[in-house]
Amino acid sequence: MSNLILNNKTILVTGAAGFIGSFLCKRLLESYQGLNLVGLDCITDYYDVSLKDERLEMLRRVGEAGSSKKNSFTFIKADISDKSGLDSLFARYKPSIVVNLAAQAGVRYSITNPDSYIKSNMIGFYNILEACRATMESDNPVEHLVYASSSSVYGSNKKVPYSTDDKVDNPVSLYAATKKSNELFAHAYSKLYKIPSTGLRFFTVYGPMGRPDMAYFKFTNKLVKGEPIQIYNMGDMWRDFTYVDDIVTGIVNVMQKTPVETEDGALYKVYNIGNNKPSSLMNFVEILENCLIREGIISQPGKKELLPMQPGDVYQTYADVTELERDFGFKPSTSLEDGLSKFSAWYKNYYIK
């Protein structure tokens, strides 16, 4: 591995108005100095745009508060599926490190709206790789490409915990297929053009300012309204819920170390980033309800509607983070109680006016 120093670097973060992207930008602005941080996002209306605006406002405040660090943050509204626009951005800003978090997310949405996944996750990621490739013979080559994959690539694998050595050739959703494709694309470009590339398989990320399409957010909205919450597979599901701060710590650690060359000559690596401690969905709901009750958001647990498994869903996720811990001395560790308490406090402040 080669070590990279983030201070005084130009860093491009795509999906900067998204959940993980905005918290990553916040951490970078708070922790490093002399950064030329460029954030890109196309601000789709997949979910409430005002939440994306709030995240960008958070970054503006962080930038102002940390002006002594001599960082700059530039936000650009653009779409990574626009090749000419992306190429122009690379030519203008010459990023040294690229973190691609822009993607169309969501398993169930991919069943009914496949076009957006092909546009963003396939064409968009191809454009990112091409833009990186164009720099490799220049005076300012991209030193590291870090990109988001997903635990969804493991499909319905029965072996747990999920290891990056496991075979992942049987996706159960188009979303999962696009993320596995990203890994294959990145490997090919890394081998052919020596682009140092690291993929990160995220496991069920949650926290304040998160995505409203995620289960914990939907549960909270329904509980507040006094409506029953839908729990699939009759409640018998397990997830490796991972708090957003742990995800961001993992990304920042990975950004600073390029991968070792593989036996086939690719500068390529994939890591799991998960809490490595799965929780049953029913236990997760109970902890969420208790946190919401403590904040005074609800007064009692809500009604549950137990339903069969949904198409595209998997029974469990469970991350093996041995390699992450070995290479970076870190593994996610935030408890559900701590993470959901922080989410509940934010939800009360943001929605319960």
Side-chain angles (χ1 to χ4, degrees):
M1 287 184 169
S2 297
N3 292 327
L4 300 176
I5 297 172
L6 299 186
N7 290 329
N8 303 306
K9 280 281 198 296
T10 297
I11 299 174
L12 171 64
V13 176
T14 71
F19 177 31
I20 299 172
S22 60
F23 276 90
L24 172 62
C25 290
K26 179 176 182 287
R27 177 77 65 83
L28 293 172
L29 291 170
E30 290 175 339
S31 303
Y32 299 94
Q33 58 186 7
L35 291 183
N36 180 17
L37 182 59
V38 181
L40 178 153
D41 203 297
C42 62
I43 317 287
T44 70
D45 60 359
Y46 171 61
Y47 60 80
D48 185 6
V49 171
S50 65
L51 194 53
K52 301 179 183 184
D53 293 337
E54 178 67 17
R55 296 178 188 137
L56 292 175
E57 175 62 20
M58 172 186 74
L59 295 179
R60 186 191 64 79
R61 293 193 300 267
V62 170
E64 289 180 351
S67 57
S68 61
K69 295 180 180 293
K70 297 183 179 179
N71 293 326
S72 68
F73 175 68
T74 304
F75 176 73
I76 298 170
K77 185 177 180 181
D79 192 330
I80 60 171
S81 67
D82 174 10
K83 190 176 190 304
S84 62
L86 191 66
D87 289 345
S88 296
L89 185 150
F90 268 72
R92 178 177 179 182
Y93 291 99
K94 299 179 173 58
S96 299
I97 299 172
V98 178
V99 184
N100 184 60
L101 302 176
Q104 177 60 61
V107 168
R108 291 173 191 155
Y109 190 71
S110 70
I111 296 172
T112 55
N113 297 272
D115 287 1
S116 59
Y117 291 79
I118 300 302
K119 179 182 177 184
S120 181
N121 301 8
M122 301 291 285
I123 297 172
F125 188 63
Y126 161 74
N127 290 342
I128 289 285
L129 289 169
E130 276 290 287
C132 290
R133 179 177 74 87
T135 73
M136 299 313 292
E137 300 300 326
S138 72
D139 295 333
N140 298 282
V142 167
E143 298 174 57
H144 198 184
L145 167 63
V146 180
Y147 62 94
S149 185
S150 168
S151 63
S152 296
V153 302
Y154 290 106
S156 55
N157 282 15
K158 297 295 188 292
K159 173 189 154 296
V160 291
Y162 295 156
S163 166
T164 54
D165 293 328
D166 295 342
K167 184 178 179 181
V168 288
D169 294 338
N170 299 291
V172 296
S173 69
L174 177 65
Y175 171 67
T178 63
K179 286 301 184 179
K180 176 56 183 173
S181 297
N182 286 175
E183 296 178 4
L184 296 173
F185 285 8
H187 183 276
Y189 270 71
S190 178
K191 178 174 173 56
L192 289 169
Y193 310 115
K194 298 303 179 186
I195 303 169
S197 303
T198 305
L200 302 176
R201 294 175 178 172
F202 299 145
F203 282 69
T204 316
V205 189
Y206 74 99
M209 301 180 77
R211 283 174 27 215
D213 65 310
M214 295 290 285
Y216 72 99
F217 215 126
K218 288 182 174 179
F219 291 161
T220 301
N221 289 338
K222 285 184 175 290
L223 289 167
V224 168
K225 296 175 183 176
E227 299 174 357
I229 59 177
Q230 286 74 44
I231 298 180
Y232 296 101
N233 204 37
M234 314 307 286
D236 184 21
M237 296 179 74
W238 295 74
R239 288 291 180 271
D240 207 345
F241 297 100
T242 313
Y243 189 63
V244 64
D245 284 357
D246 286 334
I247 291 287
V248 168
T249 298
I251 297 172
V252 172
N253 286 343
V254 167
M255 288 170 65
Q256 296 175 80
K257 289 187 177 181
T258 58
V260 174
E261 188 171 300
T262 61
E263 290 182 359
D264 67 351
L267 296 168
Y268 174 86
K269 184 66 179 172
V270 174
Y271 293 99
N272 289 331
I273 304 187
N275 207 48
N276 61 284
K277 189 179 179 182
S279 170
S280 75
L281 190 55
M282 295 300 286
N283 180 58
F284 181 84
V285 170
E286 182 180 348
I287 295 172
L288 174 61
E289 288 177 327
N290 289 337
C291 291
L292 295 173
I293 289 170
R294 279 200 302 270
E295 289 291 340
I297 297 172
I298 61 175
S299 59
Q300 61 185 12
K303 296 178 180 179
K304 283 80 175 175
E305 183 181 357
L306 302 181
L307 299 171
M309 183 78 90
Q310 287 274 288
D313 265 354
V314 296
Y315 171 65
Q316 64 181 334
T317 62
Y318 183 179
D320 180 343
V321 293
T322 304
E323 291 187 322
L324 186 73
E325 191 171 15
R326 179 198 68 200
D327 292 347
F328 301 98
F330 162 80
K331 66 177 183 179
S333 59
T334 303
S335 69
L336 281 177
E337 289 80 1
D338 287 347
L340 288 174
S341 291
K342 291 175 181 177
F343 165 74
S344 299
W346 168 80
Y347 188 96
K348 179 180 180 180
N349 181 62
Y350 189 74
Y351 287 108
I352 313 297
K353 304 294 185 181

